[in-house]
Amino acid sequence: MLILISDAFDPGLPEKIAKFGEITDDKGRIPEAEVILIRSKTKVTKEYIDGAPNLKLVIRGGVGLDNVDQVYAKTKGIKVFNTAAASSIAVAELAMAMMMAMPNNIIPGHNTMKEGKWEKKQLKRTELYKKTLGVLGIGRIGTETAKRAKAFGMNIIAYDPFVKSHDFAEMKASIKDVLKESDYVSLNMPLTDDTKGMLNKETLKDCKDGAYILNTGRGKCVIEEDIVEALDSGKLKGYATDVWYSDPPESTPLAKAPNALMMPHIGASTKENLLRIGDIIEELLGKYAKNEL
Ligand code: NAD
């Protein structure tokens, strides 16, 4: 079988899976490929699938499957899997890093030192201790983030229509109930019709004044223009995001906004996670080869 590695994976992956067939990264061979390995860059649309008549299996290294037309794939008998369990710790650690960077002025402190300034008096910090973290979507990543925040002495609340109770968070009945009490809000939901544009001009009014938002979920869960307006007015004290309307964003108002902390979608890109993703791909290919998927 021909296995096309279409996006960036651990460099050791081709060797790890060579036992299952021929491995290529030549995208000109999409029509021949039986298995395609993707991350978030490749978009497996209807047109893509129509151009891949031999395709039987798509494995998405990572969680979100919004870059795969799963409904159309199913009509063509193409199986689609992700490696959901691998990425939780990597993404939760980035959410924690962003949540620590903002109130500790890590970026302004570093930048002003590089400029030869000494802003000891200007750069005030606040602590995470005893602050409230609201998690929107308390699945794998939300849970790992909540666990870590708990260790910092934070109070954790959450909204998730599919989770009734949780070991690390007090569940709330609505998004509004979370927003009105949270000093920090972490977005950890998939992109769906319900979550698209969930944080917007109207819902941001429910936030506490001076709240911080962290987005490691999906860029389109917020309306960027409305976030920028809230940052400009001081309603929000900070917005840290790893996720965008597109990768990379064509243009984003966040680039000029005060207190926006921007990352180039590297939540899942730890060395350890890429190795775990490779292990899961090897396992899935082993099952596929034995007709057990
Ligand atoms: P998960 O499925 O374990 O958790 C998602 C949670 O969101 C679930 O508990 C689900 O019930 C909840 N949810 C669904 N609809 C909701 C709604 N309307 N309101 C509130 N909660 C809702 O997935 P996960 O592994 O925790 O990943 C979460 C998301 O993180 C992924 O869907 C993906 O978009 C994103 N992600 C980003 C990166 C990155 O690099 N930044 C990496 C991996 C995943």
Side-chain angles (χ1 to χ4, degrees), residues 18-282:
K19 60 192 169 210
F20 298 113
E22 186 189 348
I23 315 295
T24 182
D25 60 4
D26 177 0
K27 290 183 186 145
R29 296 185 70 188
I30 291 171
E32 293 168 67
E34 182 172 334
V35 178
I36 296 185
L37 308 182
I38 61 166
R39 290 191 62 213
S40 54
K41 198 168 176 202
T42 301
K43 311 289 174 224
V44 183
T45 57
K46 180 176 181 297
E47 294 70 34
Y48 186 102
I49 291 170
D50 286 340
N54 290 311
L55 189 58
K56 300 273 186 307
L57 175 65
V58 175
I59 304 178
R60 149 77 161 114
V63 184
L65 279 167
D66 39 298
N67 54 329
V68 180
D69 187 337
Q70 293 182 72
V71 175
Y72 192 63
K74 201 171 177 190
T75 67
K76 295 280 172 185
I78 299 166
K79 293 188 164 136
V80 180
F81 286 85
N82 62 8
T83 61
S87 307
S88 316
I89 289 170
V91 183
E93 286 196 9
L94 183 66
M96 289 304 294
M98 297 195 303
M99 187 157 64
M100 294 189 75
M102 289 192 291
N104 285 298
N105 275 318
I106 299 288
I107 310 272
H110 173 78
N111 286 345
T112 48
M113 285 297 289
K114 295 268 273 193
E115 288 163 13
K117 295 178 186 160
W118 184 250
E119 300 214 322
K120 185 175 166 68
K121 284 212 172 72
Q122 293 88 329
L123 295 177
K124 303 289 181 225
R125 299 170 48 231
T126 56
E127 297 171 2
L128 296 181
Y129 183 61
K130 292 208 163 162
K131 300 296 186 307
T132 295
L133 169 66
V135 180
L136 297 181
I138 193 145
R140 285 173 293 253
I141 297 169
T143 296
E144 292 302 329
T145 306
K147 273 189 206 169
R148 283 156 181 76
K150 194 117 200 151
F152 273 73
M154 296 184 84
N155 169 44
I156 323 290
I157 58 178
Y159 169 72
D160 188 316
F162 304 101
V163 177
K164 294 287 156 269
S165 67
H166 196 278
D167 287 349
F168 296 95
E170 180 196 337
M171 297 306 296
K172 298 285 182 183
S174 69
I175 297 170
K176 188 173 182 164
D177 289 344
V178 168
L179 296 182
K180 70 183 190 203
E181 286 182 30
S182 298
D183 302 294
Y184 294 81
V185 176
S186 180
L187 304 189
N188 297 109
M189 305 159 292
L191 182 65
T192 66
D193 289 345
D194 287 340
T195 64
K196 193 171 181 186
M198 188 182 252
L199 281 195
N200 56 46
K201 209 182 272 283
E202 283 311 306
T203 52
L204 284 167
K205 286 183 192 156
D206 297 327
C207 287
K208 275 174 90 164
D209 290 344
Y212 292 91
I213 312 268
L214 326 162
N215 191 357
T216 58
R218 278 293 174 260
K220 287 181 181 166
C221 292
V222 308
I223 304 295
E224 286 184 348
E225 282 76 12
D226 297 349
I227 295 276
V228 170
E229 207 178 297
L231 288 168
D232 280 336
S233 72
K235 172 73 183 170
L236 290 181
K237 203 154 194 182
Y239 175 67
T241 188
D242 185 40
V243 284
W244 301 96
Y245 285 5
S246 65
D247 277 8
E250 280 166 24
S251 75
T252 170
L254 287 165
K256 292 203 175 113
N259 302 329
L261 195 167
M262 306 184 290
M263 300 299 287
H265 202 171
I266 55 169
S269 302
T270 64
K271 186 176 167 201
E272 294 84 352
N273 183 38
L274 291 179
L275 287 170
R276 280 192 296 268
I277 286 174
D279 291 344
I280 297 177
I281 288 175
E282 185 184 13

